[in-house]
């Protein structure tokens, strides 16, 4: 009896563990709480600034951790800092929708809930996306399937967001493009008509995609790269470091966030390069085959379109940069 009882208990525990570990899959996983940590200073009372603490912040938070976010005055008594291009994405490229944000400030050696200074949020509806699409011959017969995935990606982003512009930069031995447009059917027709070519002019294509996005006035700008290979045909002066510096050095108020998919196919994808190109809060994914690629395109369509602007509201108290206020925000996400 004791052996049977022990076996029963063990079986129940195993079932419970399986049920627990299977939860949270899908595009909008079950609600979880994430934490972001910020330093806040305001040296004049009218020039608020914040910087994220990457080491303490939940790893699922996708934001440009190198950036200092500046703010402005709000009326006679307040200042506000807007944090753009904020996403919550886990290691499996599942993204999370925000339900609420609770503010805390570290005072007298403990975190205290703050009801006077708050963090608000709203989804960014105004988004521009440039799809940088490989059409090199190494994709073989799979290219027709990949074009369908790209077309489905276009449909998904346009469906999820009210204000969308999207364009394509396609590359093989040469680089061609379709400009940012609100006409999804024209864009899908362009993708359907793409023809394969030799070589992989990846860097020049990414460079053109950056140029087109930097001319956009959208609040959210996304560079989305797909390739199955490594660059072998771009100009000598256009390399991965040049491209990263171009993204990071953007003088526009709203910066580009870049994502990448590297298909492990015949082209010999360079994972190191694509991980570098996925910047400013972006990420890279490396599906093993075309069947797996379908799910990755679907997940990225949601990740790209599901972007937030956060607004931190605080008074005009002078706070030195060398002695910043320590802030923590608990983000509760929506259960599926």
């Amino acid at each position: 009896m004791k052996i049977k009882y022990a076996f029963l208990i063990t079986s129940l525990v195993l079932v419970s563990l399986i049920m627990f570990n299977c939860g949270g899959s899908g595009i909008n996983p079950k609600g979880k709480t994430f934490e972001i940590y910020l330093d806040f200073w305001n040296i004049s009372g009218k020039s608020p600034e914040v910087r994220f603490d990457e080491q303490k912040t939940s790893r699922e938070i996708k934001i440009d951790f190198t950036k200092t976010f500046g703010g402005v005055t709000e009326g006679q008594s307040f200042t506000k800092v807007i944090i753009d291009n904020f996403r919550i994405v886990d290691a499996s490229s599942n993204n999370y929708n925000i339900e609420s944000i609770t503010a805390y400030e570290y005072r007298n050696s403990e975190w205290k809930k703050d009801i006077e200074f708050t963090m608000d949020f709203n989804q960014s509806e105004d988004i521009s996306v440039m799809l940088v699409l490989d059409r090199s011959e190494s994709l073989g017969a799979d290219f027709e399937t990949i074009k369908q995935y790209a077309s489905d990606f276009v449909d998904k982003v346009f469906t999820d967001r009210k204000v969308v512009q999207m364009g394509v930069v396609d590359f093989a031995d040469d680089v061609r493009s379709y400009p940012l447009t609100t006409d999804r059917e024209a864009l899908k027709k362009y993708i359907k008509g793409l023809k394969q070519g030799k070589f992989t002019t990846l860097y020049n294509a990414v460079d053109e995609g950056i140029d087109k996005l930097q001319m956009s006035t959208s609040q959210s700008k996304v560079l989305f790269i797909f390739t199955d290979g490594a660059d072998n045909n771009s100009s000598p002066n256009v390399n991965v470091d040049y491209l990263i510096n171009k993204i990071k050095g953007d003088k526009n108020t709203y910066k580009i966030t870049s994502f990448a998919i590297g298909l492990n196919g015949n082209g010999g994808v360079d994972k190191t390069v694509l991980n570098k190109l996925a910047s400013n809060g972006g990420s890279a994914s490396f599906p093993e085959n075309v069947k797996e690629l379908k799910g990755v395109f679907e997940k990225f369509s949601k990740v790209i379109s599901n972007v937030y602007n956060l607004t931190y509201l605080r008074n005009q108290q002078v706070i030195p940069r060398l002695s910043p206020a320590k802030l923590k925000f608990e983000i509760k996400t929506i259960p599926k």
Side-chain angles (χ1 to χ4, degrees):
M1 290 296 293
K2 289 183 177 180
I3 294 174
K4 289 182 178 180
Y5 182 73
F7 177 77
L8 177 61
I9 294 297
T10 302
S11 299
L12 288 171
V13 170
L14 287 172
V15 171
S16 298
L17 286 172
I18 291 169
M19 291 177 67
F20 176 79
N21 287 327
C22 286
S25 61
I27 289 183
N28 288 313
K30 291 182 178 179
K32 295 183 179 180
T33 299
F34 302 94
E35 294 182 339
I36 56 175
Y37 289 80
L38 304 174
D39 285 346
F40 175 92
W41 61 92
N42 192 346
I43 60 174
S44 69
K46 299 182 183 297
S47 55
E49 294 182 272
V50 301
R51 181 181 289 272
F52 282 77
D53 186 330
E54 183 176 5
Q55 298 304 312
K56 293 181 180 179
T57 294
S58 299
R59 66 182 181 275
E60 292 84 1
I61 302 300
K62 304 303 179 184
I63 193 71
D64 184 2
F65 286 101
T66 67
K67 181 180 175 181
T68 297
F69 294 85
V72 295
T73 58
E74 177 83 352
Q76 298 298 314
S77 304
F78 292 95
T79 61
K80 69 177 181 181
V81 179
I82 296 177
I83 300 162
D84 62 313
N85 280 334
F86 184 92
R87 294 175 173 86
I88 307 176
V89 185
D90 65 20
S92 298
S93 296
N94 297 312
N95 76 102
Y96 295 77
N97 291 320
I98 299 175
E99 180 177 31
S100 62
I101 302 178
T102 304
Y104 296 85
E105 186 167 346
Y106 195 71
R107 300 192 300 267
N108 300 323
S109 301
E110 63 178 320
W111 288 106
K112 296 188 176 181
K113 189 174 180 179
D114 204 333
I115 60 174
E116 295 179 347
F117 308 140
T118 58
M119 179 78 83
D120 198 4
F121 64 94
N122 65 283
Q123 282 190 320
S124 175
E125 296 290 354
D126 182 12
I127 183 171
S128 288
V129 182
M130 286 303 303
L131 174 58
V132 180
L133 190 62
D134 192 342
R135 53 178 173 79
S136 59
E137 64 179 9
S138 60
L139 291 165
D142 290 332
F143 185 56
E144 291 303 314
T145 302
I146 290 165
K147 287 197 295 183
Q148 185 59 56
Y149 293 168
S151 183
D152 293 343
F153 171 85
V154 172
D155 269 334
K156 182 63 175 174
V157 175
F158 271 92
T159 300
D160 284 350
R161 282 291 161 261
K162 294 178 181 178
V163 183
V164 181
Q165 293 187 94
M166 191 179 297
V168 172
V169 178
D170 52 287
F171 63 95
D173 48 314
D174 60 349
V175 176
R176 302 175 185 177
S177 65
Y178 194 93
L180 287 168
T181 181
T182 58
D183 188 340
R184 77 161 89 179
E185 295 304 321
L187 195 59
K188 289 164 59 179
K189 182 178 180 181
Y190 178 80
I191 292 172
K192 185 177 181 179
L194 293 178
K195 304 297 182 183
Q196 290 174 268
K198 296 181 180 294
F199 314 133
T200 305
T201 318
L202 171 62
Y203 295 157
N204 280 356
V206 172
D207 191 29
E208 184 168 335
I210 294 171
D211 285 341
K212 292 183 181 300
L213 284 173
Q214 287 182 339
M215 291 187 290
S216 168
T217 58
S218 293
Q219 290 183 340
S220 179
K221 305 177 188 180
V222 175
L223 185 72
F224 184 42
I225 305 163
F226 167 77
T227 185
D228 78 326
D231 185 279
N232 59 22
N233 197 48
S234 290
S235 306
N237 61 316
V238 181
N239 53 44
V240 65
D241 292 329
Y242 167 86
L243 296 170
I244 292 170
N245 290 334
K246 190 168 183 176
I247 293 174
K248 294 289 187 182
D250 189 356
K251 302 301 183 183
N252 290 309
T253 301
Y254 298 107
K255 313 299 183 185
I256 296 170
T257 300
S258 51
F259 298 84
I261 298 178
L263 177 63
N264 288 317
N266 298 322
V269 66
D270 193 328
K271 293 184 178 181
T272 300
V273 164
L274 292 183
N275 276 317
K276 286 183 177 180
L277 288 175
S279 63
N280 285 2
S283 59
S285 183
F286 303 97
E288 292 296 328
N289 51 59
V290 173
K291 183 177 180 180
E292 186 179 324
L293 176 64
K294 177 179 174 64
V296 176
F297 260 102
E298 290 173 350
K299 284 186 175 182
F300 269 116
S301 69
K302 190 67 177 180
V303 168
I304 284 170
S305 60
N306 193 32
V307 57
Y308 288 90
N309 291 329
L310 307 184
T311 303
Y312 181 57
L313 193 67
R314 193 183 178 96
N315 65 10
Q316 296 180 7
Q317 178 186 16
V318 173
I319 299 176
R321 180 167 186 159
L322 296 179
S323 302
K326 300 292 184 180
L327 310 177
K328 177 177 75 171
F329 299 93
E330 288 184 352
I331 301 178
K332 183 179 179 181
T333 58
I334 299 172
K336 186 177 179 181

